[in-house]
Structure formats: structure tokens, C-alpha cells
């Protein structure tokens, strides 16, 4: 295609996805291009936003191989305001898209910086503090650091409970059992739980508290052993049997530091290697192998200082993520108002066959 076009994925798992294709691009047989638009009645950017808002879930056919056919696409209609209004609508939505993309790029860069900071701090220590280093099984670390087993810095490991629960999350005053997804994505998500049935007696001893380090003992190969730190006490949320709580001995280790170590690339590899299971989709991590994991052990004051630096970086990322969430909410509201006709110039819209 010598000119920019809108293309729709018409086969496969991403069937129905809408793309803006730059000029001089080739399309495969898995996409359909909307060629020869009548630019006197339709503005391409408006069409992209209108089709994205509408979606094509209702015309996708097939289950093993989802597809959209030309016959299914032909009757699709969208409201088309006058061309000047189309351009204004497209400009507004495109400006929000640009802000979203910019914020996403900032978050991605902050994550790159965090990864580099963690690699430096977990192997070289606080900047300027160490001048002598030694080789260990974990690589080069400061001379006054130790390499110890994870088991040597914990007072114990608590396992959870998985009774048959209701499908909905626990409401205020109700007890809930945490799902694996509560610890999957790097931060603790208390909303990922299932309500404990009223006829079952809660187990307060496995409720989660501020400072707990939680770990998924059973998950996919990529996610098994993922850890989070709980920021506040949730006295009505209990561990499931696929989650473990590491009770850190705070006289020798800082929970936030241990959480950082276990989430760093080297230890993610060690954990994945230690996980077992015949299924390619589900692995298990035993308490014995977990306790045997080697970890670096600086003085507790340095552990705390390292954790503070990463926590500050995390706070910046959270701020950008909140901004991104607000932008996405704004985009959704604007799309709904502008593309449904709720906010429009006082002219009749007419259906436009795609």
C-alpha cells in the first residue's frame, strides 16, 4: 500500500484488532485493508477511532480459528457527523492517545532505570560505600557481605488454605481467601480474593499483615515463586494453599530487601530452576528448595537503605501509572461521548457502511 490505510486483523487470536498502517507497508492475508475511502465524507483518523470504539466482537465467527469475513464486515455501520466535526473529534482523541503513549514510554523507561538500579544495588551495594569486593557463587559482591541461605533469615514459612469459596470477592466485614493473582504482578492486590462461605470458620492465623512477604508456590514456569510485600494489614484475608508467607527474622533481614532479591533476574532464574512438576503449564516450589536458595546478606542498615532507594523509584512509577489510568479513563469517557453522539454538533448523523 503506497498510502496509509486502516487495517483489520481478520484471522487468529487478535481477530478484530484495528490498526493504522503507515504508507508503503505490506499486509498479509490475515488482515483486510479499508481502501479507497471517500475523503469528502470520511476522515481516516475519525474512522479509526470510531471503529476502535465500536469493536468487532459481534461479527467474529469460528472458535478454533476466529475470523472476520468480508460479508460480516459489510453491514457494519458507524455514525458519521459532518467532516469538520469528524476532524475535531479525531484531534481530541488522538491528543489523548499521544499523552497515553508518552506516559507509557515514561513508565517503561522508569522500569529500565529500576532494573539497572537493582542490579547495581544488589551486587555492589550502596553507591560509594564499598571499595573491596569478592567473588561468590552469586557473582561479585562487597567483601563485607555474606552469602547465606534464605532459610537462615526466616523464622518460618506459613502455608495457606483453599476451601471451596464463592466466586465473588469478600465485602467489608467478610472473610476472603487470596488467589494466586493477588501476588502475580509485582504488587499485592487485595481485591484478588474469593469470599469464604459463611458456614466455614475463618483461620486468623493465616491472615496477612503489613510487612509479610508472600510467594506463589505453584504457578506457571514464568510466574512460580513471584513475591510481593504486603503494605498494610488485611485481617480478613487469608492465604490460599498456593501461597506461602515468609516470616522474616527482622533482626538479620529487612523484608523489603528480601522481596527485592527474590524478584531480581538472577534469583528468578534460580527459583525457576528449583521449581518442579511434570506439567509444562504448572510448576511447584517446595519449601525445602526455597529455604536453600542462596541470597546476599548485607548489614541490616544497608538492606534498609537499598530498599528505601527502590521504594522511592517505585513511588515514582506508581505516580505515572495513576496518571496513565486517569488518561485511559478520560479516553474511554471521551470516546463514549463523542463517538456515540452524546456530545455532537446539531446535525443528523447518517450510517456509513464500512
Amino acid at each position: 500500500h503506497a498510502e496509509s490505510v486502516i487495517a483489520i486483523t481478520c484471522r487468529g487470536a487478535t481477530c478484530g484488532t484495528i490498526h493504522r498502517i503507515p504508507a508503503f507497508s505490506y499486509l498479509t492475508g490475515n488482515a483486510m485493508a479499508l481502501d479507497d475511502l471517500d475523503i469528502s465524507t470520511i476522515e481516516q483518523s475519525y474512522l479509526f477511532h470510531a471503529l476502535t470504539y465500536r469493536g468487532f466482537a459481534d461479527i467474529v465467527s469460528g472458535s478454533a480459528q476466529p475470523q472476520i469475513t468480508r460479508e460480516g464486515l459489510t453491514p457494519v455501520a458507524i455514525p458519521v457527523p459532518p467532516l469538520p466535526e469528524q476532524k475535531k473529534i479525531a484531534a481530541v482523541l488522538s491528543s489523548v492517545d499521544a499523552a497515553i503513549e508518552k506516559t507509557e514510554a515514561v513508565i517503561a523507561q522508569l522500569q529500565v532505570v529500576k532494573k539497572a538500579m537493582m542490579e547495581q544495588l544488589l551486587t555492589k551495594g550502596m553507591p560509594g560505600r564499598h571499595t573491596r569486593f569478592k567473588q561468590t557463587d552469586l557473582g561479585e559482591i562487597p567483601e563485607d557481605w555474606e552469602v547465606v541461605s534464605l532459610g537462615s533469615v526466616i523464622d518460618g514459612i506459613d502455608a495457606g488454605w483453599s476451601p471451596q469459596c464463592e466466586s465473588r470477592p469478600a465485602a467489608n466485614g467478610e472473610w476472603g481467601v487470596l488467589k494466586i493473582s493477588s501476588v502475580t504482578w509485582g504488587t499485592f492486590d487485595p481485591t484478588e480474593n474469593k469470599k469464604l462461605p459463611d458456614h466455614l470458620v475463618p483461620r486468623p492465623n493465616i491472615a496477612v499483615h503489613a510487612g509479610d512477604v508472600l510467594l506463589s508456590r505453584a504457578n506457571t514456569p514464568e510466574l512460580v515463586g513471584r513475591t510481593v510485600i504486603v503494605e498494610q494489614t488485611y485481617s480478613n484475608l487469608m492465604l490460599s494453599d498456593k501461597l506461602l508467607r515468609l516470616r522474616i527474622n527482622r533482626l538479620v533481614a529487612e523484608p523489603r530487601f528480601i522481596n527485592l532479591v527474590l524478584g531480581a533476574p538472577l534469583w528468578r532464574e534460580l527459583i525457576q530452576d528449583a521449581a518442579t512438576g511434570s506439567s509444562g503449564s504448572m510448576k511447584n516450589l517446595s519449601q525445602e528448595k526455597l529455604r536453600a536458595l542462596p541470597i546476599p546478606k548485607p548489614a541490616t542498615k544497608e538492606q534498609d537503605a537499598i530498599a528505601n532507594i527502590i521504594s522511592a523509584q517505585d513511588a515514582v512509577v506508581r505516580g505515572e501509572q495513576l496518571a496513565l489510568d486517569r488518561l485511559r479513563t478520560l479516553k474511554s469517557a471521551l470516546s463514549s461521548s463523542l463517538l456515540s453522539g452524546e456530545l455532537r454538533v446539531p446535525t443528523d448523523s447518517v450510517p456509513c457502511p464500512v
Side-chain angles (χ1 to χ4, degrees):
H1 291 266
E3 297 180 354
S4 172
V5 296
I6 293 175
I8 301 168
T9 303
C10 59
R11 292 184 188 87
T14 59
C15 186
T17 307
I18 302 160
H19 312 268
R20 277 188 280 204
I21 307 300
F24 301 104
S25 297
Y26 290 94
L27 296 181
T28 70
N30 290 328
M32 290 188 287
L34 305 184
D35 292 315
D36 303 323
L37 297 181
D38 181 357
I39 60 174
S40 67
T41 59
I42 192 74
E43 204 273 332
Q44 186 189 80
S45 184
Y46 172 84
L47 180 61
F48 170 80
H49 289 293
L51 292 177
T52 300
Y53 173 71
R54 184 202 181 279
F56 294 117
D58 59 325
I59 63 169
V60 174
S61 60
S63 54
Q65 176 74 334
Q67 65 174 346
I68 293 176
T69 64
R70 185 179 297 274
E71 292 73 19
L73 190 63
T74 299
V76 170
I78 58 171
V80 178
L83 198 59
E85 186 179 355
Q86 291 182 43
K87 293 179 178 180
K88 290 180 181 178
I89 291 172
V92 170
L93 296 179
S94 294
S95 68
V96 180
D97 279 344
I100 288 173
E101 290 177 8
K102 182 179 178 180
T103 306
E104 288 174 336
V106 169
I107 292 172
Q109 185 57 41
L110 287 171
Q111 295 288 14
V112 169
V113 172
K114 177 186 172 181
K115 182 178 179 181
M117 289 170 63
M118 286 181 61
E119 182 177 353
Q120 177 71 20
L121 290 168
L122 296 178
T123 59
K124 300 296 187 289
M126 291 294 291
R129 181 170 296 187
H130 303 281
T131 58
R132 298 171 67 88
F133 298 86
K134 62 184 178 184
Q135 285 296 328
T136 71
D137 292 341
L138 298 177
E140 189 177 75
I141 63 173
E143 194 173 67
D144 60 349
W145 286 19
E146 298 177 73
V147 174
V148 301
S149 68
L150 178 62
S152 70
V153 301
I154 61 178
D155 290 328
I157 298 177
D158 296 327
W161 174 45
S162 287
Q164 188 67 37
C165 291
E166 298 181 19
S167 58
R168 68 173 177 86
N172 287 338
E174 297 176 333
W175 283 83
V177 177
L178 293 167
K179 300 190 291 185
I180 297 178
S181 50
S182 66
V183 307
T184 297
W185 308 114
T187 56
F188 178 61
D189 186 353
T191 66
E192 289 293 313
N193 72 82
K194 292 185 177 181
K195 180 191 177 297
L196 184 73
D198 293 335
H199 69 276
L200 294 178
V201 179
R203 300 182 181 181
N205 62 306
I206 55 172
V208 297
H209 302 278
D212 284 352
V213 176
L214 307 185
L215 177 145
S216 69
R217 66 156 187 86
N219 212 322
T220 63
E222 296 78 17
L223 299 176
V224 67
R226 283 288 181 95
T227 63
V228 297
I229 188 143
V230 180
E231 300 288 348
Q232 67 181 73
T233 294
Y234 296 90
S235 56
N236 66 323
L237 295 180
M238 297 175 289
L239 301 171
S240 74
D241 68 353
K242 288 185 169 58
L243 299 178
L244 298 175
R245 169 168 51 205
L246 308 183
R247 287 188 278 114
I248 310 299
N249 180 346
R250 300 194 183 207
L251 295 177
V252 296
E254 157 62 47
R256 294 178 303 156
F257 178 80
I258 299 301
N259 181 55
L260 288 174
V261 169
L262 296 180
L266 171 60
W267 287 274
R268 288 296 308 142
E269 291 182 17
L270 293 173
I271 287 171
Q272 289 169 355
D273 289 343
T276 59
S278 57
S279 170
S281 60
M282 184 63 69
K283 298 294 182 181
N284 291 277
L285 183 64
S286 71
Q287 292 192 28
E288 179 183 4
K289 291 189 175 181
L290 183 59
R291 289 175 185 274
L293 280 175
I295 61 169
K297 182 176 170 288
T300 53
K301 286 186 177 180
E302 187 167 9
Q303 292 181 40
D304 189 61
I306 289 171
N308 286 339
I309 290 177
I310 300 301
S311 294
Q313 181 74 0
D314 283 340
V316 176
V317 173
R318 284 196 298 271
E320 292 294 335
Q321 186 62 55
L322 286 173
L324 179 60
D325 292 342
R326 287 194 293 268
L327 285 169
R328 287 173 173 165
T329 300
L330 176 62
K331 171 69 185 298
S332 177
L334 287 173
S335 295
S336 176
S337 297
L338 296 173
L339 297 172
S340 68
E342 181 182 347
L343 292 178
R344 54 189 291 195
V345 294
T347 58
D348 293 332
S349 296
V350 295
C352 173
V354 176

